[in-house]
């Protein structure tokens, strides 16, 4: 089981946490909703829950709850620019198809 | 494909439900748009990586509307259709605008706000501002990959109702949902996180391209109050350019220049000024259309010498604002630097020397206002972090009140009240049988209506006739989160109601506001005296009218001698009540009251007897 951050994502995550002034890492997850069934969750993490699975990538903690993990295994979180827009992107090998928006997906 | 941002714990939005909020600094010279991404306020750049959008709009003969750098580039070629500094026209009549004669525009005098005739028809400043705001909204939508939920737009602290309303109207026209208008200095303070800091008093020193603003803010319980504002609406970085420009002409001994050569040297002057911010000397070279070649070196020492009067000129209004707020420089906890021109080291030094503390300058001075607006927008849109459950409020800059008898102002909402706010007060009628009441809404700190600014007049009609003093009219003032006022008057027994939204057609200039504030302080004791005088005068008038109406109805209850005595007392009162001797008026009122006491008692008896006579015994 593995979840990683790309170089760019790691850089941005540490910058955002530094700016925010607190946080132990980022939390990745999935929740059901959206136009193709499931949606990603990307949040700052202030505390680790006892059941969390914690990965280390570029010295940063990536926290995932066990229910989300099967849907995210092998995912790399990336940070990209598309035109004027910029932000994080889930590169998830489990996804069969996703809605055009990329915010929700099916496995 | 949408890109994600990091949310606060538990705050991940459902897909397609991100609340995209932006902050907009709608400046005189340049405008910007910013947002909060993954908890961090950032300015949004255009395709070429530029953050500023020059606040310039060109309405071309070909029907094209250009905004920003493109419009600015054509300004010299098409001055009449290229609108710059439109912010100076917002909510203003032609009489309010300085140097109209030297402007290239074709002004149309309209009721209320001035308008401009362009190749694409007559444009109001609201429409021109809307074109700037639309360009920023489109940039934000491209950058954030979705529809904007709402925006916080900044305005100068001294903007009055008309100017704020005009700004809001422009946003609506541009398809922007305004979450709130925010004072520029307050936004700058938020960008520095001062709202999370200890309570204290801060100065915001804003030297932009063409304007200088100084604001004194007081932070108490998470709320910023504007204690004083001041500035110079014709002082900014452009003036420094001009000094350098004059120096070039003098040094190179140039003959009168063509229009193009002058433009070129102005641009070189600005470049040299900006270069000197980080270098000890700046080369200035230019080939003119006459074939002459300019090749000069401007050193920091010379630059400081030719511009030091300008630097000094900002300290006058600064001193005055402090004085208006009743403070000395050492009572200021921190100074926030805003505006591109504050990058100049001699400005930094002058401010540091004046306040005796190092100014806050680690944020980009031409971005701080937009960054603070974005932070506020993010909160208002509901994307708040845990612990961030404060909601920043603003305050009203001048007291709001209503005219009462004798031209006095009854303040209903005092200045510096946090908004939104609603306050009500009860008034009554002055005359018997009065069925209508005129309400005059005024703004200002002085006690007399004639010294304040008139905002609106309206009437409450159709009240049931009652004796003077019996009607109860509740007047409610409501100021919404953007500082806009609505007033309702309601007669309590009949429920008759009248309502007005205050949308004044003219604004006050910042100088006028500052003058009115200062006036309010310096005339406080003077005003107290005049107020007391007016009050007795009104009282006296009321007494005279009551006696006159009683005499008209019931003079048969008096002997000739008694009547003569009352007439004499009344004449005496009428003679002194127009003067300013309060004691004499009091004495004459006393005499008249005593002189009519017996008369009043007889009238009372008479009416009781009449009442008894008219009714059957059972009813009693
Ligand atoms: N590095 C620099 N050194 C000196 N001056 C600079 C520098 N960068 C920008 N400026 C000056 O800052 C001014 C523009 O400032 P800013 O963008 O804050 O103006 P603005 O807010 O649009 O104007 P205003 O406040 O008058 O509405 C220009 O005069 C510009 O030359
Ligand atoms: Mg400015």
């Amino acid at each position: 089981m593995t979840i990683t951050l790309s170089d760019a994502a790691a850089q941005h995550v540490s910058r955002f946490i530094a700016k925010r002034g607190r946080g132990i890492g980022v939390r990745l997850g999935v929740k059901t909703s959206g136009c193709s069934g499931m949606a990603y969750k990307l949040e700052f993490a202030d505390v680790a829950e006892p059941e969390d699975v914690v990965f280390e990538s570029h010295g940063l903690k990536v926290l995932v709850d066990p229910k989300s993990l099967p849907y995210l295994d092998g995912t790399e979180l990336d940070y990209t620019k598309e035109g004027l827009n910029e932000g994080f992107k889930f590169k998830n090998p489990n996804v069969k198809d996703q809605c055009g928006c990329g915010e929700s997906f099916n496995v | 494909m949408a890109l994600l941002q990091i949310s606060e714990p538990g705050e991940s939005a459902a897909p397609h439900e991100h609340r995209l909020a932006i902050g907009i600094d709608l400046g005189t010279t340049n405008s910007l748009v910013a947002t909060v991404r993954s908890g961090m306020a950032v300015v949004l750049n255009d395709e070429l990586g530029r953050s500023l959008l020059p606040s310039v709009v060109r309405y071309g003969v070909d029907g094209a509307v250009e905004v920003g750098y493109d419009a600015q580039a054509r300004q010299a070629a098409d001055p009449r259709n290229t609108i710059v500094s439109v912010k100076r026209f917002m909510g203003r009549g032609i009489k309010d605008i300085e140097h109209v004669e030297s402007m290239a525009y074709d002004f149309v005098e309209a009721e209320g706000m001035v308008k401009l005739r362009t190749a694409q028809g007559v444009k109001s400043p609201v429409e021109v501002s809307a074109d700037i705001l639309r360009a920023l909204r489109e940039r934000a939508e491209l950058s954030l990959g979705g529809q904007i939920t709402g925006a916080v737009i900044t305005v100068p602290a001294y903007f009055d109702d008309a100017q704020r309303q005009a700004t809001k109207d422009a946003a609506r026209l541009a398809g922007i949902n305004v979450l709130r208008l925010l004072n520029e200095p307050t936004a700058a303070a938020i960008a520095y996180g001062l709202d999370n800091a200890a309570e204290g008093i801060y100065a915001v020193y804003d030297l932009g391209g063409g304007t200088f603003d100084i604001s004194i803010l007081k932070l108490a319980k998470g709320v910023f109050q504007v204690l004083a504002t001041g500035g110079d609406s014709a002082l900014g970085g452009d003036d420094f350019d001009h000094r350098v420009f004059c120096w070039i002409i003098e040094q190179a001994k140039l003959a009168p220049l063509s229009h193009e050569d002058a433009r070129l040297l102005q641009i070189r002057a600005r470049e040299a000024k900006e270069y000197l911010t980080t270098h000890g000397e700046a080369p200035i070279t230019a080939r003119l259309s006459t074939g002459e070649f300019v090749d000069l070196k401007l050193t920091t020492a010379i630059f400081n010498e030719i511009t030091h009067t300008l630097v000094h000129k900002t300290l006058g209004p600064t001193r005055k604002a402090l004085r208006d707020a009743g403070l000395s420089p050492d009572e200021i906890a921190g100074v926030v630097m805003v505006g591109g021109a504050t990058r100049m080291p001699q400005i930094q030094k002058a401010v540091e020397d004046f306040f005796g503390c190092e100014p806050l300058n680690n944020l980009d001075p031409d971005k701080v206002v937009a960054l603070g607006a974005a932070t506020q927008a993010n909160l208002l849109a509901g994307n708040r972090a845990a612990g961030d459950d404060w909601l920043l409020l603003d305050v009203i800059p001048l007291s709001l009140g209503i005219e009462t008898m004798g031209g006095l102002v009854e303040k209903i909402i005092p200045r510096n009240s946090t908004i939104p706010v609603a306050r009500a007060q009860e008034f009554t009628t002055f005359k018997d049988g009065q069925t209508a009441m005129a309400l005059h809404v005024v703004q200002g700190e002085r006690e007399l209506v004639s010294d304040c600014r008139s905002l609106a007049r309206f009437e409450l009609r159709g009240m049931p006739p009652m004796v003077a003093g019996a009607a109860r009219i509740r007047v409610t003032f409501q100021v919404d989160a953007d500082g806009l006022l609505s007033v309702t008057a309601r007669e309590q027994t009949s429920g008759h109601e009248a309502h007005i939204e205050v949308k004044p057609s003219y604004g006050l200039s910042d100088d006028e506001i500052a003058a009115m504030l200062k006036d309010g302080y310096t005339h406080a004791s003077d005003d107290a005296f005049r107020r007391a005088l007016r009050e007795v005068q009104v009282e006296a008038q009321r007494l005279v009218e009551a006696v006159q109406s009683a005499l008209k109805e019931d003079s048969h209850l008096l002997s000739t001698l008694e009547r003569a005595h009352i007439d004499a007392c009344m004449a005496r009162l009428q003679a002194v009540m127009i003067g300013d001797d309060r004691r004499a008026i009091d004495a004459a009122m006393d005499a008249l009251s005593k002189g009519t006491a017996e008369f009043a008692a007889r009238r009372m008896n008479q009416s009781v007897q009449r009442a008894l006579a008219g009714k059957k015994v059972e009813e009693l």
Side-chain angles (χ1 to χ4, degrees), chain A residues 15-16 19-20 22 31 33-35 39 41-44 46 80 82 84-90 101 103, chain B residues 1-13 15-16 18 37-38 40 45-47 142-143 145 386:
Chain A
R15 217 166 61 133
F16 290 139
K19 169 71 193 167
R20 186 168 170 266
R22 63 181 194 279
K31 52 186 177 185
S33 73
C35 43
K41 213 162 86 170
L42 179 60
E43 296 175 354
F44 291 110
D46 288 326
T80 58
E82 290 175 1
L84 286 178
N85 194 2
E86 57 185 274
F88 295 92
K89 198 174 186 168
F90 282 71
C101 69
E103 283 192 60
Chain B
M1 142 143 201
L3 299 173
L4 297 168
Q5 308 300 333
I6 313 178
S7 309
E8 282 300 317
E11 296 276 303
S12 286
H16 317 294
H18 297 279
R37 267 198 177 126
S38 299
M40 195 158 119
N45 293 343
D46 68 5
E47 297 83 351
L142 283 175
S143 302

Side-chain angles (χ1 to χ4, degrees), chain A:
Chain A
M1 292 257 178
T2 155
I3 289 177
T4 54
L5 304 179
S6 72
D7 287 352
Q11 246 175 45
H12 281 90
V13 168
S14 28
R15 217 166 61 133
F16 290 139
I17 289 178
K19 169 71 193 167
R20 186 168 170 266
R22 63 181 194 279
I24 58 168
V26 274
R27 174 177 297 283
L28 270 55
V30 297
K31 52 186 177 185
T32 51
S33 73
C35 43
S36 1
M38 276 192 231
Y40 292 119
K41 213 162 86 170
L42 179 60
E43 296 175 354
F44 291 110
D46 288 326
V47 282
E49 302 299 335
E51 69 275 14
D52 280 342
V53 182
V54 182
F55 300 91
E56 285 264 342
S57 180
H58 297 269
L60 290 161
K61 281 195 168 60
V62 181
L63 296 82
V64 185
D65 66 283
K67 282 203 211 99
S68 295
L69 195 53
Y71 303 105
L72 290 176
D73 187 24
T75 293
E76 183 195 52
L77 185 68
D78 194 15
Y79 192 90
T80 58
K81 290 192 185 186
E82 290 175 1
L84 286 178
N85 194 2
E86 57 185 274
F88 295 92
K89 198 174 186 168
F90 282 71
K91 290 190 174 162
N92 185 348
N94 306 300
V95 170
K96 278 211 228 61
D97 57 2
Q98 56 183 15
C99 89
C101 69
E103 283 192 60
S104 61
F105 62 95
N106 238 315
V107 289

Side-chain angles (χ1 to χ4, degrees), chain B residues 453-473:
Chain B
R453 170 172 183 245
S454 169
L455 286 183
R457 291 174 187 274
F458 68 113
E459 265 187 22
L460 177 62
R461 298 188 158 278
M463 297 188 292
M466 284 180 246
V467 291
R472 290 190 300 126
I473 296 127

